[in-house]
Amino acid sequence: MLAEMNIESTDVVRLIEQFLREQNLHKTLEVLQRESGVSLNTVESVDSFKSDILRGRWDSVLTSVLQANLAAERLTDLYEQIIIELAEAQDMVPARALLRQTEPMDLLRSSDMDRYLRLEQLLSRTSFDPRHAYGATSKESRREAIANSLTAHVRSTAPSQLLTMLGQALRWQTEQGILSANTGSHGLFHDQRQRAQRSVVDRAPDSMLATIKLPKKQHPNSVAFSPSGAYLATGSTDGFIELWNFRTGKLATDLAYQNDGTPMMMEESVTALAFSSSGELVCSGAKNGKIKVWKVKSGSSYKRFSAAHSQSVSCVCFSNQTTNGDDNDNTQQQQQQQILSGGVDNIVRIHGLKSGKMLKEFRGHSAAVTSAIFNHDNTRVLSTSEDGSVRIWDASSAVCLHAVVPGSEDLGLSAPPAHTVLAIPGKPTEFI
């Protein structure tokens, strides 16, 4: 899930390093690796790299080693093997160059002079003796040992990852209407004011994006979008809670528990759904009056309220949570969050997510509650009911501050049911 992904800063550096290498900006790459202390350590294919070592394709191996930027101390055995095999082929000029002009061999000379001198003696001989060069081992076994050692310190990665990720981000923003789809290219550093203006333009839906098909005798009673727009949750009459890719109309495949056929499930029909503001939790209410809170990533139950209402739960809502990038603070806020629920029993209640207990009860509606929300700072609760009223409550005292009845009582007509109350984005004191 996008809103929940944590990316290591070292991986960001490696993305940039890969881009620099692919663009042949080797000096810039060298400076970045030196100043950041982060090495790319990648080859195009680990299997091909190992195969080249086993077959003695030393030109390809040295090119891969250069790209992988392996530490010189890890390359001593490799360079020693290449020098020995060059001596075996009587190719002395490059063998002496590797022995006397490379950093791995300089390290060998300073750390193990006897081993270094044996290579010098090998290159001074007029004939090659495998027993003297390889000792009790064979050429093939030495290659295999070197291949196993080096492949443990390198990895392969798909090419052009930075450009691919940027392209995916642009496509997502285009699908969300943040960027215009009418141009063939996008400037990443365009005027942010223009970007903001485009992002708030509302358009009436004019086409169907996808259709979600459920089995026969199974239909959704409730739906909810995650805050990031990554998932569409459905709650069905058979108690299943499923998360979908709304662009394709297919089940979200990045959630292992859905792939394994073990979705989130209530005992009875799911009648209400809501995501937390972080998108990490989803709350479900059921026909039997029970409420459960689930972890989106794992599908495991986070908290349950077995007697939330005496009759069917008609609506659920999380208290508003602010995020500031501090993981510890955000975790603490999540634990302090509250669940607001309304039921067919005419009651609105607040439940503590940490305690698992009911904290407040709001009585005053004379018919089933149809919706309930917190205001922007969680100091007020707004609720609607089939009795036709919209009530504004003090969240701490549970006192009804105002009761608004939109019906035309002056004409002697009964008030029609009030179905939904919605907050207006950017206008914290107003609602619909």
Side-chain angles (χ1 to χ4, degrees):
M1 191 165 55
L2 294 176
E4 300 171 356
M5 292 181 66
N6 296 318
I7 301 176
E8 296 289 340
S9 59
T10 53
D11 287 338
V12 176
V13 175
R14 288 191 178 99
L15 280 173
I16 299 172
E17 288 177 344
Q18 183 192 37
F19 175 79
L20 292 174
R21 187 181 72 186
E22 292 173 343
Q23 300 300 312
N24 294 319
L25 300 173
H26 299 299
K27 290 185 178 180
T28 308
L29 172 60
E30 182 181 349
V31 171
L32 179 58
Q33 289 184 136
R34 184 174 63 252
E35 294 189 352
S36 66
V38 178
S39 297
L40 192 53
N41 287 0
T42 62
V43 294
E44 292 183 2
S45 170
V46 174
D47 290 338
S48 297
F49 178 58
K50 183 174 183 179
S51 176
D52 287 340
I53 296 175
L54 294 176
R55 297 185 180 187
R57 297 172 178 167
W58 302 124
D59 287 344
S60 297
V61 171
L62 291 175
T63 300
S64 297
V65 165
L66 179 62
Q67 292 179 346
N69 196 42
L70 290 170
E73 56 267 22
R74 299 193 188 279
L75 301 177
T76 302
D77 291 342
L78 171 66
Y79 275 61
E80 180 183 38
Q81 181 67 20
I82 296 174
I83 291 168
I84 292 174
E85 293 195 24
L86 287 173
E88 184 177 6
Q90 295 298 304
D91 201 352
M92 297 303 182
V93 174
R96 291 191 179 96
L98 284 177
L99 179 62
R100 299 167 183 172
Q101 300 175 19
T102 58
E103 185 179 358
M105 292 297 97
D106 286 343
L107 288 175
L108 178 64
R109 181 169 51 191
S110 60
S111 62
D112 192 342
M113 180 59 76
D114 290 340
R115 184 177 170 188
Y116 180 86
L117 290 176
R118 282 196 295 271
L119 290 175
E120 284 281 10
Q121 292 171 3
L122 178 67
L123 298 183
S124 64
R125 293 174 179 267
T126 56
S127 62
F128 182 82
D129 184 355
R131 290 175 298 179
H132 178 267
Y134 298 118
T137 62
S138 66
K139 179 196 302 185
E140 289 72 21
S141 62
R142 285 173 63 95
R143 286 180 178 178
E144 185 173 1
I146 293 168
N148 291 334
S149 174
L150 291 182
T151 53
H153 298 287
V154 298
R155 55 187 177 180
S156 62
T157 184
S160 304
Q161 284 199 104
L162 180 60
L163 295 178
T164 299
M165 293 177 69
L166 287 173
Q168 291 171 344
L170 288 173
R171 281 195 297 273
W172 182 85
Q173 292 187 60
T174 302
E175 291 172 353
Q176 299 300 311
I178 299 173
L179 294 175
S180 172
N182 297 325
T183 57
S185 61
H186 296 287
L188 295 179
F189 301 99
H190 51 66
D191 192 328
Q192 292 299 312
R193 290 171 297 178
Q194 295 177 3
R195 181 191 184 104
Q197 290 171 359
R198 284 196 298 269
S199 66
V200 298
V201 175
D202 290 329
R203 297 191 303 271
D206 56 7
S207 62
M208 182 173 65
L209 185 62
T211 300
I212 295 176
K213 295 182 179 180
L214 299 177
K216 292 181 178 179
K217 298 182 180 180
Q218 176 187 346
H219 63 267
N221 281 336
S222 53
V223 296
F225 273 104
S226 63
S228 67
Y231 302 118
L232 173 65
T234 59
S236 304
T237 53
D238 57 2
F240 285 108
I241 302 157
E242 296 172 300
L243 302 184
W244 305 79
N245 181 329
F246 70 90
R247 296 182 183 88
T248 63
K250 306 293 184 182
L251 278 175
T253 57
D254 58 332
L255 301 172
Y257 57 92
Q258 295 200 145
N259 296 331
D260 297 339
T262 54
M264 300 173 284
M265 187 176 182
M266 301 290 285
E267 296 171 1
E268 292 192 21
S269 175
V270 180
T271 53
L273 284 174
F275 281 91
S276 64
S277 56
S278 67
E280 297 177 359
L281 304 174
V282 63
C283 179
S284 58
K287 187 177 180 180
N288 58 6
K290 295 182 179 181
I291 290 175
K292 282 187 179 181
V293 179
W294 310 82
K295 292 183 179 180
V296 171
K297 278 188 175 181
S298 64
S300 59
S301 177
Y302 181 77
K303 192 71 67 176
R304 65 179 61 193
F305 305 91
S306 298
H309 290 273
S310 60
Q311 298 181 53
S312 178
V313 178
S314 56
C315 57
V316 290
C317 166
F318 282 88
S319 58
N320 295 306
Q321 177 185 4
T322 58
T323 57
N324 57 14
D326 187 325
D327 290 341
N328 293 329
D329 183 57
N330 293 339
T331 300
Q332 184 177 8
Q333 284 195 54
Q334 178 174 290
Q335 293 175 345
Q336 294 174 349
Q337 274 195 290
Q338 299 172 343
I339 303 294
L340 179 66
S341 67
V344 177
D345 56 7
N346 310 347
I347 301 172
V348 178
R349 289 190 170 116
I350 294 178
H351 315 269
L353 193 56
K354 184 177 182 180
S355 66
K357 299 179 180 179
M358 185 190 73
L359 304 179
K360 301 289 179 181
E361 184 175 84
F362 304 81
R363 291 179 176 266
H365 285 297
S366 58
V369 176
T370 53
S371 70
I373 61 171
F374 285 100
N375 73 331
H376 70 288
D377 60 2
N378 303 315
T379 59
R380 299 288 185 265
V381 169
L382 292 82
S383 61
T384 61
S385 169
E386 289 184 359
D387 63 13
S389 68
V390 180
R391 291 179 178 264
I392 303 173
W393 313 80
D394 181 86
S396 59
S397 66
V399 172
C400 181
L401 304 176
H402 304 282
V404 181
V405 181
S408 302
E409 295 183 349
D410 293 341
L411 299 178
L413 301 176
S414 60
H419 185 268
T420 305
V421 60
L422 297 172
I424 300 177
K427 297 182 179 181
T429 61
E430 300 179 18
F431 62 91
I432 299 176

